[in-house]
């Protein structure tokens, strides 16, 4: 007679199975299995070969060479104090040294203490002072460009107007209207009577200054265009902005030659030069990219900055450039983008920089502060706080752009109080009245 098997639900069976397993292994719970040393050794060997296989041979060769060198070297005295006194002589010794005189070989092996590199003394620069304030714009003045003949300069503002001013008198010459949003970038061509402008309306315009009319539009940007630069030797215009791309245009045909993509956030600053890298861009993604213009590709990405790079400026004569970010101003060597030094101390959002042939670098902050630096040594020789226009709030002390005129003797800044300010060197100052406060023992260059 067959016994009836009780039918249980799957849930009950699984639960019973779990309970049996739990009771069986309860005593061994928390005890790990013994480590198999042979298996561990094989695992480490496989991992090392997989990760470092390409360089392991080179390391083994270097170790054998090192062992051969140590065997071939003459034996040094065992007692280090005796060795030091032998090397330095016995003038200051408590007891005269009676051991063997050090041979030429042992003297050569004892390393001389390295002298720390002395920082060079900075060149003296005259302090700068405010010379003229020009008002006329009805909005924040965002950009400035000086024409190659050094007779006039142009400014663009949030009132959507480009104004051209006489440099010597500060009088308004002409106003150009056509943009439908803030004008963010201006550039004057050295070879043609053209002025190029870009703005938050996504437009890039070419103005013929003989007729004061727009003769070309460059269409392609998907968002606001924040900066532009002309190539110094070929008829090429480079623009960049909020769509995280830099676009290279043929000035005459309006063709979009290259679209330089790679940044992941707004490109805030741009520089063009005749030598490699011909295009340098700085972005809110806190990187700087050096571009190969012929190939239309990124040659190098510099990731040293920790915050947005809002300004890039190239030195007019040296083969170097500087980049500004709220964490630091950094100097770099072209063409490979080798780091030179940090210029620390301007603790603000640095919107703009300018450099003149004498090696004066100026940085302008969002809070209206201006720092003047010696380019070669990174010495901060002057600090200014831009005074706001009467009737403006102190919070409107912000510097948006700056440039030196062609002679390098006048500095033009454009500001949030809707004014343009012109600075020049104090002619009465001398090295006696304004000495260099140079203390190299407390000024240590931070290298990272």
């Amino acid at each position: 007679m067959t016994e009836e098997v009780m039918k249980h639900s799957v849930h009950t069976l699984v639960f019973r199975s779990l309970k049996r397993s739990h009771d069986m292994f309860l005593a061994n719970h928390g005890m790990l299995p013994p480590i198999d040393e042979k298996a561990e050794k094989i695992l480490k060997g496989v991992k090392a070969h997989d990760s470092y296989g390409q360089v392991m041979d080179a390391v083994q060769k270097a170790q054998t060479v090192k062992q051969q060198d140590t065997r071939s070297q003459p034996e040094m005295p065992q007692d280090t104090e005796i060795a030091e006194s032998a090397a330095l002589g016995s003038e200051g010794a408590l007891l005269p040294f009676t051991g063997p005189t050090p041979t030429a070989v042992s003297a050569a092996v004892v390393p001389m203490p390295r002298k720390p590199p002395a920082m060079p003394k900075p060149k003296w620069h005259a302090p700068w002072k405010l010379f003229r304030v020009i008002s006329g714009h009805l909005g924040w003045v965002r950009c400035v460009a000086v024409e190659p003949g050094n007779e006039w300069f142009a400014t663009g503002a949030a009132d959507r107007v480009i104004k051209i001013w006489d440099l010597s008198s500060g009088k308004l010459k002409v106003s150009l209207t056509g943009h439908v949003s803030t004008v963010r970038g201006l550039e004057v061509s050295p070879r043609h009577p053209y002025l190029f402008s870009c703005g938050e309306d996504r437009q890039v315009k070419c103005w013929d200054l003989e007729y004061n009319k727009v003769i070309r539009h460059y269409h392609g940007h998907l968002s606001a265009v924040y900066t532009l630069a002309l190539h110094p030797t070929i008829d090429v215009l480079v623009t960049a902005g909020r769509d995280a791309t830099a676009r290279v245009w043929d000035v005459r045909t309006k063709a979009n030659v290259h679209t330089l993509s790679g940044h992941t956030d707004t490109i805030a600053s741009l520089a063009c030069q005749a030598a490699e890298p011909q295009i340098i861009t700085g972005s809110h993604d806190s990187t700087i990219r050096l571009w190969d213009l012929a190939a239309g590709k990124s040659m190098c990405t510099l990731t040293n900055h920790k915050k947005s790079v809002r300004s890039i400026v190239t030195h007019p004569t040296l083969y170097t450039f500087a980049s500004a970010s709220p964490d630091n101003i950094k100097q770099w060597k072209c063409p490979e983008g080798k780091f030179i030094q940090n210029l620390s101390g301007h603790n603000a959002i640095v919107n703009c920089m300018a450099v003149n042939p004498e090696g004066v670098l100026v940085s302008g902050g969002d809070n209206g502060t201006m720092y003047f630096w010696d380019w070669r040594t990174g010495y901060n020789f002057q600090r200014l706080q831009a005074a706001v226009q009467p009737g403006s709030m102190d919070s409107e002390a912000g510097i948006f752009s700056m440039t030196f005129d062609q002679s390098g003797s006048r500095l033009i800044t454009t500001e949030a109080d809707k004014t343009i300010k012109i600075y020049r060197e104090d002619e009465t100052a001398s090295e006696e009245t304004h000495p260099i406060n140079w203390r190299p023992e407390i000024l240590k260059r931070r290298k990272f």
Side-chain angles (χ1 to χ4, degrees):
M1 192 173 148
T2 57
E3 288 183 19
E4 281 190 21
V5 179
M6 278 195 66
K7 290 184 178 177
H8 293 288
S9 66
V10 175
H11 181 273
T12 310
L13 293 169
V14 169
F15 184 77
R16 282 183 181 173
S17 175
L18 278 170
K19 192 169 184 317
R20 282 195 206 102
S21 303
H22 178 264
D23 294 342
M24 190 183 295
F25 295 111
L26 184 63
N28 298 336
H29 184 63
M31 288 174 63
L32 292 171
I35 294 168
D36 188 345
E37 288 185 8
K38 190 178 176 186
E40 282 286 308
K41 196 174 179 183
I42 292 167
L43 177 67
K44 282 182 182 173
V46 168
K47 276 195 172 181
H49 192 270
D50 183 47
S51 301
Y52 308 110
Q54 295 174 342
V55 293
M56 280 174 89
D57 295 340
V59 171
Q60 284 168 356
K61 281 179 190 171
Q63 283 175 346
T64 52
V65 169
K66 198 174 178 183
Q67 285 168 0
Q68 286 171 0
D69 288 349
T70 51
R71 282 179 200 142
S72 61
Q73 273 182 4
E75 286 191 14
M76 290 286 293
Q78 292 297 314
D79 193 345
T80 52
E81 288 180 6
I82 294 173
E84 281 178 8
S85 60
L88 297 170
S90 56
E91 290 87 0
L94 294 172
L95 294 168
F97 177 65
T98 54
T101 55
T103 59
V105 176
S106 62
V109 171
V110 175
M112 289 293 287
R114 279 186 65 191
K115 190 183 174 187
M119 288 175 69
K121 190 176 180 185
K123 179 185 169 186
W124 182 82
H125 299 286
W128 292 68
K129 61 179 185 180
L130 183 62
F131 163 60
R132 176 176 284 143
V133 179
I134 302 168
S135 55
H137 278 292
L138 303 176
W140 288 356
V141 192
R142 299 301 303 236
C143 50
V144 60
V146 180
E147 66 103 12
N150 216 33
E151 291 180 0
W152 53 265
F153 66 95
T155 55
D159 59 6
R160 312 186 298 278
V161 181
I162 298 165
K163 290 183 184 284
I164 292 175
W165 312 84
D166 187 88
L167 187 56
S168 58
S169 66
K171 298 258 172 51
L172 181 66
K173 287 167 80 87
V174 71
S175 293
L176 304 173
T177 56
H179 278 281
V180 294
S181 190
T182 306
V183 183
R184 291 296 293 261
L186 289 171
E187 197 78 29
V188 187
S189 172
R191 287 192 301 281
H192 311 287
Y194 295 159
L195 170 71
F196 295 89
S197 64
C198 66
E200 290 181 8
D201 50 10
R202 298 182 295 188
Q203 293 183 17
V204 181
K205 295 176 185 283
C206 172
W207 304 77
D208 190 325
L209 295 173
E210 289 176 346
Y211 301 98
N212 294 339
K213 285 191 172 74
V214 178
I215 55 166
R216 294 187 190 101
H217 284 96
Y218 302 89
H219 295 288
H221 276 286
L222 307 174
S223 192
V225 190
Y226 284 169
T227 178
L228 82 169
L230 279 166
H231 195 283
T233 54
I234 54 177
D235 286 342
V236 156
L237 171 71
V238 188
T239 58
R242 208 163 59 196
D243 59 3
T245 63
R247 290 175 189 265
V248 182
W249 311 90
D250 186 312
V251 168
R252 286 177 301 149
T253 65
K254 302 181 284 186
N256 188 181
V257 183
H258 291 303
T259 301
L260 309 176
S261 56
H263 283 292
T264 56
D265 205 343
T266 302
I267 298 175
S269 50
L270 178 66
C272 257
Q273 57 182 13
E276 293 295 339
Q278 295 183 49
I279 301 169
I280 306 164
T281 55
S283 167
H284 285 345
D285 64 9
S286 64
T287 66
I288 301 157
R289 281 180 183 259
L290 316 180
W291 301 88
D292 182 347
L293 178 58
K297 288 191 174 73
S298 174
M299 290 161 45
C300 172
T301 306
L302 308 174
T303 57
N304 300 44
H305 281 291
K306 296 174 184 65
K307 294 185 180 174
S308 304
V309 182
R310 288 172 185 258
S311 180
I312 282 176
V313 67
T314 53
H315 194 282
T317 51
L318 303 175
Y319 197 28
T320 53
F321 70 95
S323 59
S325 171
D327 56 4
N328 263 318
I329 297 167
K330 294 179 188 287
Q331 288 179 338
W332 313 86
K333 198 169 186 297
C334 296
E336 72 279 7
K338 188 183 173 195
F339 176 73
I340 301 172
Q341 65 179 349
N342 277 319
L343 278 59
S344 302
H346 198 169
N347 300 318
I349 296 171
V350 181
N351 282 329
C352 52
M353 290 191 298
V355 62
N356 72 0
E358 273 75 57
V360 175
L361 174 70
V362 192
S363 55
D366 221 26
N367 56 0
T369 53
M370 288 167 63
Y371 280 44
F372 293 77
W373 313 82
D374 177 47
W375 180 279
R376 194 169 56 90
T377 57
Y379 170 65
N380 176 211
F381 68 89
Q382 189 185 2
R383 298 178 181 185
L384 281 179
Q385 171 70 51
V388 293
Q389 189 176 206
S392 298
M393 294 180 290
D394 286 342
S395 58
E396 286 188 303
I399 300 167
F400 288 124
S401 71
M402 58 171 57
T403 186
F404 282 99
D405 71 347
Q406 303 300 338
S407 66
S409 61
R410 282 173 289 194
L411 174 69
I412 305 164
T413 65
T414 68
E415 312 204 0
D417 63 356
K418 304 171 189 172
T419 64
I420 300 141
K421 294 187 174 77
I422 301 179
Y423 296 82
R424 66 179 181 190
E425 288 182 335
D426 188 351
E427 291 160 1
T428 59
S430 66
E431 271 190 83
E432 286 73 39
T433 59
H434 293 79
I436 295 172
N437 183 24
W438 181 237
R439 296 174 67 190
E441 70 276 3
I442 61 163
L443 286 167
K444 288 189 174 65
R445 234 177 256 187
R446 287 163 67 196
K447 289 239 172 191
F448 60 84

